[in-house]
């Protein structure tokens, strides 16, 4: 929501805000997929929190199946973006396609890595790292959105979301592996 707010603040054009908001709807709604998966796997990972080999093995299994699923979904969203936008929202929102594509790619990183690993870190009792990653994401989000929206318009907000999803995914994955190898 910060990106939509900042677009409205920095670009006082309601059509641009509406177009960007439209681009966010489907990628944001798809977060139910990793959330549903986490609801299912969380108890098993919590039950085996002290068995690092089990956690690592099952995590790799989750990635083995979930990453390709998200990749296919993301590829479909990127390739068929104009058709999806036109059918669901109308031709007046076709200018949302570039942001929609970028946000769809950010969905891949967020769903495949950040959302899953963030919850699995909790099963390993590593709550502080999620807190600090959240703080880092918030600060980077504000700064990057402010700068990129100023220079690139609404597409800058989509780029910020993608970059933050990639950075937080790398940090989360690195720390999770570190915890399991420790």
């Amino acid at each position: 929501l910060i990106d939509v707010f900042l677009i409205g603040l920095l670009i006082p054009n309601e059509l641009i805000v509406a177009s960007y908001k439209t681009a966010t709807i489907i990628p944001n709604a798809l977060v139910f997929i990793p959330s549903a998966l986490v609801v299912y796997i969380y108890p098993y990972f919590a039950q085996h929190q002290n068995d690092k080999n089990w956690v690592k093995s099952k995590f790799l299994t989750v990635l083995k199946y979930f990453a390709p699923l998200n990749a296919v979904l993301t590829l479909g969203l990127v390739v068929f973006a104009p058709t999806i936008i036109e059918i669901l929202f109308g031709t007046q929102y076709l200018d949302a396609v570039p942001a929609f594509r970028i946000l769809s790619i950010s969905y891949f990183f967020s769903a495949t890595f950040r959302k899953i690993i963030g919850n699995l870190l909790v099963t390993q009792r590593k709550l502080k790292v999620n807190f600090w990653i959240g703080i880092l994401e918030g600060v980077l989000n504000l700064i990057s959105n402010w700068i990129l929206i100023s220079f690139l318009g609404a597409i800058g907000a989509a780029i910020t979301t993608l970059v933050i999803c990639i950075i937080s995914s790398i940090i989360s994955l690195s720390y999770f592996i570190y915890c399991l190898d420790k």
Side-chain angles (χ1 to χ4, degrees):
L1 295 177
I2 290 173
D3 48 359
V4 176
F5 172 74
L6 287 174
I7 290 169
L9 187 66
L10 297 171
I11 306 170
N13 181 327
E14 61 276 352
L15 296 177
I16 293 172
V17 175
S19 179
Y20 184 80
K21 179 64 179 155
T22 299
T24 68
I25 291 172
I26 293 173
N28 287 345
L30 289 175
V31 173
F32 85 90
I33 297 171
S35 298
L37 178 62
V38 165
V39 166
Y40 176 75
I41 67 172
Y42 185 94
Y44 298 105
F45 280 84
Q47 182 179 10
H48 291 91
Q49 81 178 53
N50 295 320
D51 186 353
K52 303 297 184 194
N53 289 329
W54 186 95
V55 170
K56 193 175 198 177
S57 169
K58 297 306 178 192
F59 169 68
L60 292 174
T61 301
V62 168
L63 276 185
K64 177 181 170 184
Y65 294 104
F66 198 53
L69 172 73
N70 281 330
V72 168
L73 181 59
T74 299
L75 183 63
L77 291 172
V78 169
V79 169
F80 297 108
T83 306
I84 293 168
I85 296 292
E86 185 173 1
I87 289 172
L88 295 178
F89 305 106
T91 56
Q92 67 272 26
Y93 288 104
L94 284 175
D95 60 333
V97 168
F100 179 82
R101 285 180 166 146
I102 294 169
L103 293 169
S104 295
I105 295 167
S106 69
Y107 162 80
F108 172 80
F109 289 99
S110 179
T112 305
F113 300 104
R114 181 67 182 109
K115 298 292 181 192
I116 301 296
I117 296 169
N119 282 282
L120 294 183
L121 282 167
V122 174
T123 69
Q124 300 302 302
R125 304 207 187 280
K126 302 298 181 190
L127 303 171
K128 287 182 184 175
V129 76
N130 279 338
F131 172 76
W132 290 112
I133 290 172
I135 297 290
L136 177 67
E137 287 175 345
V139 171
L140 287 176
N141 199 358
L142 281 170
I143 294 168
S144 182
N145 265 317
W146 193 276
I147 293 168
L148 291 180
I149 291 169
S150 297
F151 286 106
L152 302 173
I155 202 78
I159 292 169
T160 292
T161 300
L162 175 60
V163 168
I164 296 212
C165 284
I166 291 171
I167 290 171
S168 64
S169 294
I170 290 169
I171 293 169
S172 296
L173 180 60
S174 300
Y175 189 75
F176 188 62
I177 291 170
Y178 167 78
C179 290
L180 296 178
D181 288 343
K182 188 173 167 184

